[in-house]
Amino acid sequence: MIKLETSVPGPKSLRILKGLKEKNGGWSISYPLVFSGKGEGPYCEDIDGNVFLDFGSQIASNPLGYNHPELLETIRSYSNRFPIKYAGQDFAVREHLKMIEEITDIAPRGFDSAFLINSGAEAVENAMKICMRKRPGTKFGISMEKGWHGRTLGALSLTNSNYVHKKGYMRLPTVRLPYNEDAAEHLERLLRTEASPDEIGFVMVEHVQGEGGYNIAPKKMVEELRRVTHQNGIPYIADEVQCGVGRTGRWWAFEHYGITPDIFTSAKALQVAAVVAPHRMFPHEAGAISSTWGGGQIIDMALGIRTIEIIKKDKLLSHNARLGHYMLRYLNDMKGITGQRGLGLMLAFDLPTARLRDNLIAECTARGLLLLGCGTKTIRLVPPYVAAKEDADKAFALIEAALRRVSVRGFTHHGAICDFVHCGKHHT
Ligand SMILES: Cc1ncc(COP(=O)(O)O)c(C=O)c1O
């Protein structure tokens, strides 16, 4: 149950947030609360005793919500040992193999190998490197307009979001295709006029774009792009960092399109990051790709393994598909919003302006509901897989009430919340 004991942020949270704002070298915290570690299911408690309903799931990285009893049990089983991180690409632990077995078990047939690493961006980075190593001499990569692939320099080169993420940083050569039904035609024209297939390192696609606006790839775009890449021997990488591990109602979003990529990435919900592909795709020279912690984060891997087991045991794929349908139907009837869309528990809608979107997020936060923005004026709904229909109803009631409030002409937020959220105050 949502419970608000103080204004948001509460005094204890405010002290820590102010300290972080002063001292955190990469300031970007935009939610006015500090997590206490307490909470249950989709509800989390801050250090001021306020309880929030979380429909952002820590940007899709917390699929089973707060304090899932089986995940707590997994953590407890490691409480009497140290270290909990090994230099896993050089020194083996059991969990490394088990995690690879679990992820390849839920991958398409033939995807029998995986490389484990620390973050989504590193998974993307390594997928790119694996493709380059396989076909030496390629000159550029291809990604999609509005794509988001992370912030390491290779991944950032593929990312096509806000300039603030790229300003001043060097890039790898990248060509972008439109994220629509014309994509394959653009690629074919490129092949006719600019480049031979062996100059193109890979094509990277999010089948549901995350940061770019929860845009769902048109079926024709994916089918045609896959056909052209296949015919020309250009590796097709699916970036499943945000949409993978069951969120869309299937294990992988590309499954909705009846295609198989050559290689795919995973992270976030998996608790570790992975590049998954048939064994022949990976470099055979030892050390061609590696990292100190990759495959050695035993608690992360144990939690990832358990997460997959729980999704299977509790039949959460069909739950996500069902709840997603219910939520999309509700959204379609909601007034004052447009562009309602969704695949499983990856749902979104647009507001008339960015200012209204940001005000809505701030107002919902103040009322105890955590939501995320994306794109230019989009709200994404990313509930944890343990959310029930009643939680969705609660979220929708709050969104509708908050929307009525922020739609009043001249509405602005006041107080400390404005220092920690992107609310209308910051727009001109
Ligand atoms: C589709 C996609 N790829 C890659 C990344 C980068 O992941 P990370 O932030 O773990 O580096 C993200 C993160 O939001 C993502 O959504």
Side-chain angles (χ1 to χ4, degrees):
M1 288 291 280
I2 291 174
K3 187 177 72 168
L4 293 172
E5 298 280 341
T6 67
S7 59
V8 176
K12 293 182 189 158
S13 293
L14 191 57
R15 199 171 51 77
I16 290 177
L17 290 167
K18 277 187 172 159
L20 281 171
K21 195 162 191 170
E22 266 172 46
K23 298 190 163 101
N24 175 6
W27 173 257
S28 67
I29 289 175
S30 46
Y31 286 82
L33 66 149
V34 174
F35 291 86
S36 67
K38 294 182 191 153
E40 194 179 343
Y43 294 88
C44 55
E45 188 170 326
D46 75 1
I47 56 174
D48 293 282
N50 299 309
V51 179
F52 297 83
L53 174 57
D54 183 2
F55 265 36
S57 296
Q58 305 284 322
I59 325 177
S61 69
N62 182 23
L64 300 181
Y66 295 89
N67 293 314
H68 192 290
E70 291 170 63
L71 296 182
L72 286 180
E73 186 186 285
T74 299
I75 293 172
R76 266 187 230 111
S77 70
Y78 286 95
S79 65
N80 62 352
R81 51 183 286 189
F82 188 85
I84 54 166
K85 278 179 155 189
Y86 287 76
Q89 295 293 344
D90 293 285
F91 302 94
V93 291
R94 269 184 298 227
E95 292 79 359
H96 191 167
L97 178 60
K98 178 81 174 134
M99 180 78 256
I100 293 176
E101 286 172 347
E102 284 294 334
I103 194 167
T104 53
D105 183 55
I106 57 171
R109 195 192 316 218
F111 281 63
D112 55 3
S113 300
F115 170 73
L116 302 187
I117 192 85
N118 308 292
S119 67
E122 286 173 273
V124 166
E125 201 79 24
N126 279 283
M128 294 163 70
K129 285 169 73 178
I130 289 163
C131 292
M132 292 182 201
R133 197 55 165 267
K134 186 85 188 149
R135 295 163 67 246
T138 54
K139 298 209 164 44
F140 61 93
I142 292 183
S143 68
M144 310 301 289
E145 284 173 2
K146 297 191 189 163
W148 177 273
H149 302 286
R151 294 167 184 270
T152 52
L153 290 179
L156 190 64
S157 304
L158 304 185
T159 290
N160 180 228
S161 186
N162 291 325
Y163 181 54
V164 65
H165 305 134
K166 303 190 101 160
K167 191 172 164 184
Y169 305 143
M170 289 185 193
R171 332 268 162 85
L172 290 184
T174 306
V175 167
R176 248 167 281 284
L177 300 178
Y179 195 77
N180 60 33
E181 295 190 345
D182 298 335
E185 206 181 300
H186 274 70
L187 177 56
E188 282 181 317
R189 193 180 323 135
L190 189 76
L191 286 166
R192 267 198 316 277
T193 59
E194 299 275 349
S196 67
D198 55 10
E199 289 177 304
I200 302 176
F202 49 82
V203 174
M204 174 92 64
V205 181
E206 291 162 276
H207 291 86
V208 183
Q209 289 189 321
E211 189 68 26
Y214 270 32
N215 305 311
I216 302 170
K219 200 158 173 46
K220 184 171 166 225
M221 174 193 116
V222 175
E223 285 170 356
E224 290 289 289
L225 212 44
R226 189 61 189 118
R227 178 184 60 75
V228 177
T229 51
H230 200 263
Q231 279 170 356
N232 289 281
I234 302 166
Y236 183 99
I237 307 173
D239 185 351
E240 293 274 344
V241 167
Q242 186 152 167
C243 55
V245 197
R247 176 151 291 282
T248 64
R250 305 250 175 112
W251 284 112
W252 311 107
F254 62 74
E255 290 178 57
H256 291 277
Y257 296 87
I259 62 119
T260 309
D262 292 299
I263 183 164
F264 71 90
T265 59
S266 180
K268 289 190 185 272
L270 193 67
Q271 309 301 303
V272 291
V275 185
V276 190
H279 195 65
R280 64 184 147 72
M281 283 298 290
F282 289 92
H284 299 306
E285 304 122 282
I289 50 172
S290 192
S291 156
T292 302
W293 298 131
Q297 324 86 321
I298 55 169
I299 292 200
D300 294 350
M301 292 187 294
L303 291 173
I305 293 162
R306 199 73 187 260
T307 296
I308 294 175
E309 286 170 354
I310 294 168
I311 295 172
K312 287 180 182 168
K313 172 176 72 64
D314 293 346
K315 302 193 174 22
L316 294 178
L317 295 186
S318 51
H319 167 78
N320 290 358
R322 262 198 317 276
L323 184 61
H325 273 128
Y326 172 78
M327 290 178 67
L328 189 57
R329 274 204 311 276
Y330 197 110
L331 280 179
N332 281 333
D333 289 338
M334 211 187 259
K335 302 274 177 298
I337 61 172
T338 54
Q340 295 90 331
R341 52 199 180 272
L343 202 54
L345 293 184
M346 240 179 141
L347 300 118
F349 58 89
D350 298 325
L351 276 305
T353 62
R355 181 190 176 103
L356 197 60
R357 185 271 310 271
D358 293 348
N359 273 335
L360 182 64
I361 292 176
E363 184 63 22
C364 283
T365 306
R367 290 167 185 247
L369 172 66
L370 303 181
L371 296 177
L372 294 171
C374 61
T376 48
K377 47 187 186 174
T378 301
I379 298 265
R380 53 182 144 172
L381 297 174
V382 200
Y385 308 174
V386 292
K389 185 174 157 295
E390 293 68 35
D391 302 313
D393 290 341
K394 178 90 221 157
F396 285 134
L398 282 164
I399 291 169
E400 285 173 325
L403 188 55
R404 278 194 298 277
R405 170 101 179 84
V406 299
S407 300
V408 171
R409 188 188 288 267
F411 172 86
T412 43
H413 281 282
H414 299 286
I417 193 169
C418 298
D419 296 331
F420 299 101
V421 296
H422 303 289
C423 67
K425 193 170 143 177
H426 302 291
H427 290 278
T428 50

